[in-house]
Amino acid sequence: MTHLPVLIADLGLILAAGGITTLLFKKIKQPLVLGYILAGIIVGPYLNFTPTVTDHKSITTWAEIGVIFLLFSLGLEFSFKKLAKVGGSAGITAVVDVFGMFALGYGTAWLLNWPTMDRFFLGGIMSISSTTIIMRAFDELNVKHKKFAGLVFGVLIVEDLFAILMLVLFSTLAASSKFEGGEVLLSVLKLGFFLTLWFLAGIFLIPSFLKATKKLMNDETMLIVSLALCLTMVLLAVKVGFSPALGAFIMGSILAETTQAERIEHLTTSVKNLFAAIFFVSVGMMIDPQILIDQAVPVLVISASVILGKFLFAGSGALLSGQPLKTSIQTGLSLTQIGEFSFIIATLGLSLKATSETLYPITIAVSALTTFTTPYMIKLADPMHRLFNKILPQRWINAIERYSTSAAGITTMPDWKILLRAYTINTITHGVIITAIVLLVSSYLHPFIVNNITNGINGIIISIVISFLIMSPFLWALSVRRIEKTAYSHLWLNKKYTRGPLIAIEIFRIALGTFFRAFLIYQFFDTWTAASIAVGLIVLVMVIFSRRLQSFYERMENRFFYNLNAREAAKKQPEILPWDTHLLELTVAPESKLVGQTLVDLAVREKYGINIAMIERGKIMIPTPKRDERLYPNDKVLVIGTDDQLASVKHLFEGDNAEINEEQTFPKQDMSLQKIVINSKSPVFGQTIRESGIREKTQGLVVGIERNGQRILNPDSNLVFENEDIVWIVGNNKRIPALLK
């Protein structure tokens, strides 16, 4: 008898339970994540009256793969460019929300008399809202077109980055079992170093690789290559001491900057869904229902803290960032839940044995409760805004409006700020690259040369020469390259106050370049030798080869920025406007009444108060279209308006209220080619094709007639039907026989 491996039986049980519960949750319109968790409880070890998974070790491995692909997909939606563009409002809101909720979580755990590590982990768990749940709620409530939705998405992007940072910090805390400022700072610096390095190297190499192999990439090879890149970065992350989830997230973020991002996201969705389902089911398997009953009070207290705290801190952060009162309330009430990153943080604490066993099921229960309340909290925003308008003093409301208006104003950046920001980015970027080169040389290149080519002083000289050649363009950019020439010139001409600091900055740059050269050579020689050789190399390279270094560096820089901006260049959109007016992309449905009409005929500005900023038609972009431009099916139209204006016009583009009669709705499979024989009793006998009304009454078209052995293809509409004519008609097969037989 054939033996079925336990893993396959367990996997079948997990997917069967997950399939049934998710169908149920789909029916009752609840998030599928909760269905998976319920499935995990059903097949877990704590219920005796249901089939149970037996090979927990293998399922845990599959769940870890699920975390990897879940973080990979979140990275594809994340994008470092999005982080840079979310704006000050989203950044300020997220910072206030995360730090406020972390403090509230720590305080709540302290009041519950929990251990110190549980307090830290609960703070992290409560800090991060759920991207998946919010996206689903926005879709169901049809509010994605509103201004606050864009702010919420920006906040979620920043919170995702905070979650990644927390995973690193909590791993460090769990390892040392106590809070040590030095270790935490070192972990943050290490994370920043590798994030910068991986991002720079990834953007420079991966888009170029995908472009070079584009003709060879069908869907199968693109899927394999994408997953290979993901797992390669996972290996690199583990190699340097980070979690596999971080590596997957970083690779997803890098691929999100490429022109193939949407295709990769589409191809990997099925893989992500499968393994994510296993992960969430495994989450449910670790929940003991009895613990939830015993811990009902902490569950309710923490759930209330999440809802009230998120509303308070996220709403306050939005107000502080200059958002109107209504947008701030909507933002705060939209973020009142925890989700997938909270699961991962709780799982980390449990796997490292750093937290109590009760924290994990409590986290799941709080997530379930807050997920259930999310749609209702979003709907509560408008009544809450009206309530605040009634209870707040009018002078407070006026002050909030003035602050919001002033914060949305356009400001110019001073020359000093422009210059210092550019120098800071330049120093950090090239410092990271040069440090990485030095570490790679000392750890890998030099041992390889010593073991395979030559050793002693010759091996050292070869290692230094090769590494210095690689470092030279970046050393030139760090120490010599002129940055922000216009701002620099303005400051230099102001002789009285600025020349001294500018000279000091240039001296610091040269000294920093000297330090990195000495740092390289110090790996092989003593300090004095390193310093003297470094000074000599500065004079030699920077004076003699400056132009060549500049040319080579500029080519690399151009390639980097081309890769970085390629996706954006393929689909360029204007920036979002301030105040309540904002942009929304709408697609013209084929059945929409707008199809074929000119903009002047539509008169959307006069009727609805909106403006059309751009039309995207395939690869064609039409910015600020003229009044005689027409709309065609599947045009993507960028419109500008307020929330209410955009809501009033949205249905026109989607064709929801288009007048469609019965003749336009019969199933496509009812259209067929039929043969009808005319006799003297047929209703159309003796009539012309036009007079018979076949087109109007049967949705049919006469395509051929056989008469006396002759075939007439596409007959004239004036041709008269005769006895024993064989008529070929393409049309609605349910109507034709009744009319012609």
Side-chain angles (χ1 to χ4, degrees):
M1 181 176 178
T2 303
H3 174 69
L4 184 68
V6 174
L7 176 60
I8 297 178
D10 287 344
L11 183 60
L13 180 60
I14 285 174
L15 295 181
I20 294 171
T21 54
T22 50
L23 286 174
L24 174 63
F25 274 69
K26 190 81 172 177
K27 180 69 175 177
I28 62 177
K29 297 183 178 180
Q30 293 300 315
L32 301 186
V33 172
L34 299 183
Y36 289 130
I37 293 172
L38 176 60
I41 295 175
I42 292 172
V43 302
Y46 300 105
L47 296 182
N48 298 324
F49 53 86
T50 57
T52 302
V53 170
T54 55
D55 188 0
H56 291 276
K57 185 175 181 181
S58 296
I59 297 302
T60 302
T61 302
W62 284 59
E64 290 177 359
I65 298 174
V67 173
I68 289 172
F69 288 128
L70 183 63
L71 269 292
F72 180 62
S73 65
L74 287 174
L76 284 170
E77 298 171 3
F78 172 84
S79 163
F80 286 98
K81 288 283 291 296
K82 286 183 182 178
L83 179 63
K85 291 186 176 182
V86 293
S89 295
I92 293 171
T93 304
V95 169
V96 173
D97 182 33
V98 169
F99 281 93
M101 289 303 298
F102 188 91
L104 179 62
Y106 188 95
T108 302
W110 178 78
L111 289 174
L112 294 171
N113 200 27
W114 284 5
T116 301
M117 291 303 296
D118 283 14
R119 299 174 191 176
F120 278 108
F121 273 83
L122 182 63
I125 287 166
M126 290 176 58
S127 301
I128 311 300
S129 298
S130 172
T131 303
T132 304
I133 293 167
I134 291 175
M135 292 280 284
R136 187 180 186 280
F138 280 6
D139 280 334
E140 290 180 350
L141 298 175
N142 196 27
V143 297
K144 290 179 74 173
H145 64 280
K146 294 191 175 183
K147 180 186 177 183
F148 80 92
L151 177 61
V152 170
F153 293 149
V155 172
L156 291 171
I157 289 172
V158 181
E159 285 190 351
D160 285 349
L161 192 61
F162 271 109
I164 291 296
L165 179 60
M166 286 181 193
L167 290 175
V168 175
L169 295 181
F170 288 162
S171 297
T172 304
L173 285 175
S176 61
S177 299
K178 57 182 178 179
F179 186 88
E180 294 185 2
E183 279 194 40
V184 172
L185 179 61
L186 184 62
S187 296
V188 172
L189 292 176
K190 182 180 177 182
L191 176 64
F193 173 80
F194 281 105
L195 282 179
T196 304
L197 179 63
W198 286 335
F199 174 71
L200 294 173
I203 294 300
F204 187 79
L205 297 173
I206 291 176
S208 299
F209 166 74
L210 293 178
K211 183 179 179 181
T213 58
K214 185 177 181 180
K215 293 182 179 179
L216 304 174
M217 290 282 193
N218 57 19
D219 286 351
E220 180 182 356
T221 52
M222 178 62 79
L223 174 62
I224 298 301
V225 168
S226 302
L227 297 182
L229 289 171
C230 170
L231 295 177
T232 300
M233 184 57 77
V234 166
L235 292 174
L236 286 175
V238 173
K239 181 73 174 176
V240 298
F242 294 126
S243 68
L246 175 62
F249 184 83
I250 295 301
M251 181 50 67
S253 301
I254 292 171
L255 291 174
E257 309 296 352
T258 69
T259 56
Q260 300 294 322
E262 288 84 2
R263 183 184 179 191
I264 293 171
E265 187 174 0
H266 171 72
L267 292 173
T268 56
T269 296
S270 298
V271 179
K272 183 261 294 186
N273 289 341
L274 172 62
F275 286 101
I278 297 172
F279 166 69
F280 287 121
V281 171
S282 71
V283 166
M285 288 168 56
M286 288 186 277
I287 299 176
D288 184 352
Q290 185 60 44
I291 292 180
L292 296 182
I293 297 173
D294 297 340
Q295 301 293 329
V297 173
V299 168
L300 294 175
V301 169
I302 295 171
S303 298
S305 299
V306 169
I307 293 173
L308 295 176
K310 283 282 186 180
F311 171 61
L312 174 64
F313 291 115
S316 300
L319 269 180
L320 185 64
S321 70
Q323 294 299 317
L325 179 62
K326 182 178 181 181
T327 301
S328 301
I329 292 173
Q330 290 171 321
T331 301
L333 290 174
S334 298
L335 294 165
T336 55
Q337 76 294 116
I338 59 175
E340 54 275 358
F341 263 120
S342 300
F343 296 159
I344 295 170
I345 292 173
T347 304
L348 176 68
L350 194 63
S351 63
L352 295 176
K353 298 184 175 6
T355 58
S356 305
E357 292 185 359
T358 56
L359 178 61
Y360 188 86
I362 287 174
T363 300
I364 306 304
V366 170
S367 174
L369 284 176
T370 54
T371 296
F372 179 77
T373 60
T374 294
Y376 303 102
M377 300 305 295
I378 296 173
K379 291 178 182 178
L380 190 62
D382 287 338
M384 186 71 73
H385 177 238
R386 290 193 292 269
L387 177 64
F388 270 72
N389 276 332
K390 288 182 181 179
I391 63 176
L392 289 179
Q394 188 60 41
R395 65 178 184 276
W396 288 18
I397 296 176
N398 294 337
I400 291 172
E401 290 179 353
R402 287 195 302 270
Y403 178 74
S404 174
T405 303
S406 63
I410 299 173
T411 59
T412 57
M413 189 179 294
D415 288 333
W416 265 121
K417 189 173 182 180
I418 294 172
L419 193 67
L420 290 176
R421 186 178 69 172
Y423 276 174
T424 301
I425 294 173
N426 182 70
T427 301
I428 293 174
T429 301
H430 295 99
V432 166
I433 294 173
I434 294 168
T435 302
I437 293 172
V438 172
L439 295 177
L440 287 172
V441 166
S442 59
S443 302
Y444 298 101
L445 178 62
H446 181 63
F448 175 81
I449 292 173
V450 169
N451 294 328
N452 298 279
I453 301 176
T454 182
N455 54 18
I457 190 66
N458 292 332
I460 292 175
I461 292 174
I462 292 174
S463 299
I464 292 176
V465 169
I466 292 175
S467 14
F468 189 73
L469 288 174
I470 299 173
M471 290 168 54
S472 293
F474 307 107
L475 288 169
W476 173 85
L478 177 68
S479 302
V480 179
R481 182 192 181 206
R482 185 70 65 209
I483 306 170
E484 293 292 347
K485 296 180 181 179
T486 302
Y488 190 95
S489 299
H490 291 166
L491 294 171
W492 183 259
L493 292 174
N494 185 5
K495 302 179 182 179
K496 187 174 182 181
Y497 299 108
T498 60
R499 288 197 174 181
L502 288 176
I503 293 172
I505 289 174
E506 296 303 322
I507 293 174
F508 171 76
R509 293 177 67 194
I510 294 173
L512 196 59
T514 304
F515 166 78
F516 279 115
R517 289 171 178 81
F519 178 53
L520 168 65
I521 301 171
Y522 184 62
Q523 306 299 313
F524 309 101
F525 296 107
D526 62 84
T527 306
W528 292 106
T529 306
S532 60
I533 296 177
V535 172
L537 289 174
I538 289 173
V539 176
L540 178 65
V541 175
M542 295 307 170
V543 174
I544 300 176
F545 300 106
S546 180
R547 289 187 178 181
R548 292 186 179 180
L549 288 174
Q550 178 178 353
S551 175
F552 181 73
Y553 178 83
E554 287 177 352
R555 288 199 300 272
M556 289 195 302
E557 185 182 54
N558 291 337
R559 168 56 60 182
F560 177 83
F561 282 111
Y562 175 81
N563 290 343
L564 183 64
N565 299 319
R567 184 183 180 189
E568 187 179 50
K571 187 178 180 181
K572 190 173 179 63
Q573 290 188 1
E575 294 184 2
I576 295 177
L577 298 175
W579 309 298
D580 191 39
T581 301
H582 62 106
L583 295 174
L584 179 69
E585 184 183 273
L586 297 172
T587 301
V588 180
E591 65 272 17
S592 170
K593 293 180 179 179
L594 307 181
V595 172
Q597 297 193 48
T598 63
L599 299 188
V600 67
D601 293 336
L602 294 176
V604 289
R605 175 185 286 182
E606 294 77 7
K607 294 179 181 178
Y608 303 99
I610 69 163
N611 291 284
I612 295 179
M614 185 174 69
I615 299 174
E616 178 184 349
R617 185 171 298 146
K619 295 183 179 180
I620 301 173
M621 300 291 175
I622 309 173
T624 57
K626 297 180 180 179
R627 61 200 307 268
D628 57 348
E629 186 67 51
R630 295 182 184 274
L631 294 181
Y632 294 99
N634 299 312
D635 276 356
K636 293 181 180 179
V637 183
L638 205 62
V639 295
I640 307 172
T642 64
D643 288 344
D644 293 336
Q645 291 167 344
L646 294 173
S648 67
V649 78
K650 191 167 178 280
H651 71 277
L652 294 177
F653 286 83
E654 296 175 346
D656 293 341
N657 296 332
E659 295 181 3
I660 302 175
N661 55 39
E662 185 209 355
E663 286 77 11
Q664 295 173 303
T665 59
F666 73 90
K668 185 169 67 174
Q669 59 267 28
D670 287 351
M671 181 67 73
S672 64
L673 180 64
Q674 298 185 60
K675 180 178 71 172
I676 304 296
V677 179
I678 303 294
N679 57 44
S680 58
K681 294 182 180 180
S682 298
V684 297
F685 175 73
Q687 297 182 11
T688 65
I689 295 176
R690 181 183 291 110
E691 293 170 344
S692 67
I694 290 176
R695 180 188 295 270
E696 295 76 20
K697 298 176 182 178
T698 70
Q699 299 170 320
L701 179 67
V702 178
V703 295
I705 296 177
E706 293 184 29
R707 177 179 295 173
N708 300 324
Q710 295 183 349
R711 295 181 178 180
I712 306 171
L713 185 63
N714 297 325
D716 187 88
S717 58
N718 293 317
L719 187 128
V720 178
F721 289 116
E722 297 180 0
N723 190 29
E724 297 185 354
D725 277 353
I726 300 174
V727 182
W728 291 90
I729 301 176
V730 60
N732 189 338
N733 57 27
K734 294 181 179 179
R735 293 190 175 190
I736 292 173
L739 181 66
L740 298 181
K741 284 185 178 179

